[in-house]
Amino acid sequence: MSRALTGITPSGRLHLGNLVGAMRPIVAAQEVGSGPDDTIAFISDLHALTLDHDPAKVRERTFEFVTLLLAVGVDPGRAVLMVQSHVREHVELHYLLECAAGFGEAQRMIQFRQKSRGRDHVRLSLLTYPVLMAADILLYGAAEVPVGDDQRQHVELARTVAERFNARYGEVFIVPKAVHPPVAARLGDLARPARKMSKTAPPGAGVLHLLDTPDVLRRTIARAVTDSAGTVAYDPVGRPGVSNLLAVLAVCSGSTPERLVGEYTRYGDLKRATADAVIATLAPVQARYAELAADPGHVREVLRDGAARASAIAAPTVRAAREAIGLLAA
Ligand code: ATP
Ligand code: MG
């Protein structure tokens, strides 16, 4: 059995990059998964508390992200959809793993060093966040964890901690491995095309949010940075702006940049076609989102069911870990 596990942190606002890089793959996984518990998607709200945060916003975004996942087609009948903090096993295993992880190991994490740099108050949870992520993974026995480069080191840590725990206390965990599936597309920020589109980009960035109105989407695309060459070409390194527009158009029209490149000669035409395709892609998602948002009771019900199913999978692993490490059964 191979389980597909995806966590999305409720910081910032979901965008087209998240749709193609994280949300569509969840929908794809639930189609091929052999059982309804083989695809697990969760909103990692605990991870959102590791940096400065606004409590009301975290709560609001958690609900918004769940609703958006449902709107893009995550089906609670074929996948487990839940909120990390609703499943107590995450924090419980986090503590047990802290007793098998080293301070030096956590301190060496590149993301910790980057995110703590220049801050006078660094939350302890930022240091231990990769250990919580290890718990997220180990609880569900995921053997392969698909991650981008930025998370590779964290999966390595999960692996090290699992191996150490197993060696000291007995075989409790499946040791995970990071895998790097080919990404559908890494979409760039339209205003700074060499950088990737990001949930937490500053205002004025070229990010296409899933809940932006058609007007805002069209304006963001119209303002996209291109270059002065004046020809449409696909060359992500040399011509990042134009190439990124082609990539955006491709993911919204089921095509590839290579196939699209010959169809346009002028930037204006390419931008218009891209805006039309993005708006057409997001219109049904936004319509479904509006329906779901009008029925918060239903979304709540999905989350209650998701948390119960996740907990049923995770609980035996936590029980085994508690026993192995020396805790007296309650
Ligand atoms: P943040 O600024 O908070 O890091 P983010 O947009 O990078 O925001 P993550 O929570 O880091 O979001 O990533 C969530 C998922 O979305 C990951 O699976 C990641 O690979 C995918 N993803 C994020 N940005 C892009 C992008 N620009 N293009 C394609 N996939 C993306
Ligand atoms: Mg990121």
Side-chain angles (χ1 to χ4, degrees), residues 182-198:
V183 281
R186 188 132 293 260
L187 302 183
D189 183 304
L190 297 175
R192 310 166 297 175
R195 300 207 200 176
K196 73 175 202 62
M197 221 179 256
S198 150

Side-chain angles (χ1 to χ4, degrees), residues 8-9 11 15 17-18 20-22 150 185-188 196-200:
I8 301 181
T9 303
S11 53
H15 54 78
N18 298 133
V20 302
D150 56 336
R186 188 132 293 260
L187 302 183
K196 73 175 202 62
M197 221 179 256
S198 150
K199 289 208 287 337
T200 51

Side-chain angles (χ1 to χ4, degrees), residues 28-193:
Q30 81 187 4
E31 309 297 329
V32 301
S34 48
D37 291 349
D38 289 343
T39 306
I40 300 180
F42 64 98
I43 304 303
S44 40
D45 54 348
L46 297 171
H47 294 174
L49 309 184
T50 57
L51 295 169
D52 292 347
H53 77 286
D54 173 338
K57 278 212 174 101
V58 169
R59 194 164 19 242
E60 209 174 281
R61 299 241 151 95
T62 298
F63 202 80
E64 180 182 297
F65 283 22
V66 169
T67 309
L68 273 167
L69 282 168
L70 291 169
V72 304
V74 173
D75 173 359
R78 284 183 292 176
V80 176
L81 179 57
M82 49 89 175
V83 172
Q84 183 188 30
S85 68
H86 293 181
V87 182
R88 303 272 181 89
E89 283 80 4
H90 288 256
V91 282
E92 190 170 1
L93 187 61
H94 177 204
Y95 180 76
L96 299 182
L97 294 180
E98 277 190 354
C99 303
F103 176 63
E105 279 168 342
Q107 231 183 356
R108 276 196 295 278
M109 293 293 115
I110 294 161
Q111 279 212 8
F112 172 72
R113 298 229 296 270
Q114 284 172 349
K115 291 187 173 172
S116 59
R117 194 170 296 144
R119 286 177 192 263
D120 46 357
H121 181 85
V122 175
R123 298 181 185 184
L124 196 49
S125 57
L126 184 66
L127 178 69
T128 60
Y129 148 74
V131 183
L132 177 58
M133 183 172 152
D136 298 339
I137 297 167
L138 300 181
L139 280 175
Y140 301 102
E144 296 193 336
V145 185
V147 284
D149 275 338
D150 56 336
Q151 295 294 330
R152 177 198 293 263
Q153 205 188 16
H154 294 164
V155 179
E156 276 312 308
L157 181 69
R159 195 180 162 78
T160 304
V161 172
E163 277 171 346
R164 185 178 299 137
F165 192 105
N166 285 349
R168 282 195 192 155
Y169 307 115
E171 293 291 321
V172 170
F173 301 117
I174 292 174
V175 178
K177 192 171 91 196
V179 294
H180 306 282
V183 281
R186 188 132 293 260
L187 302 183
D189 183 304
L190 297 175
R192 310 166 297 175

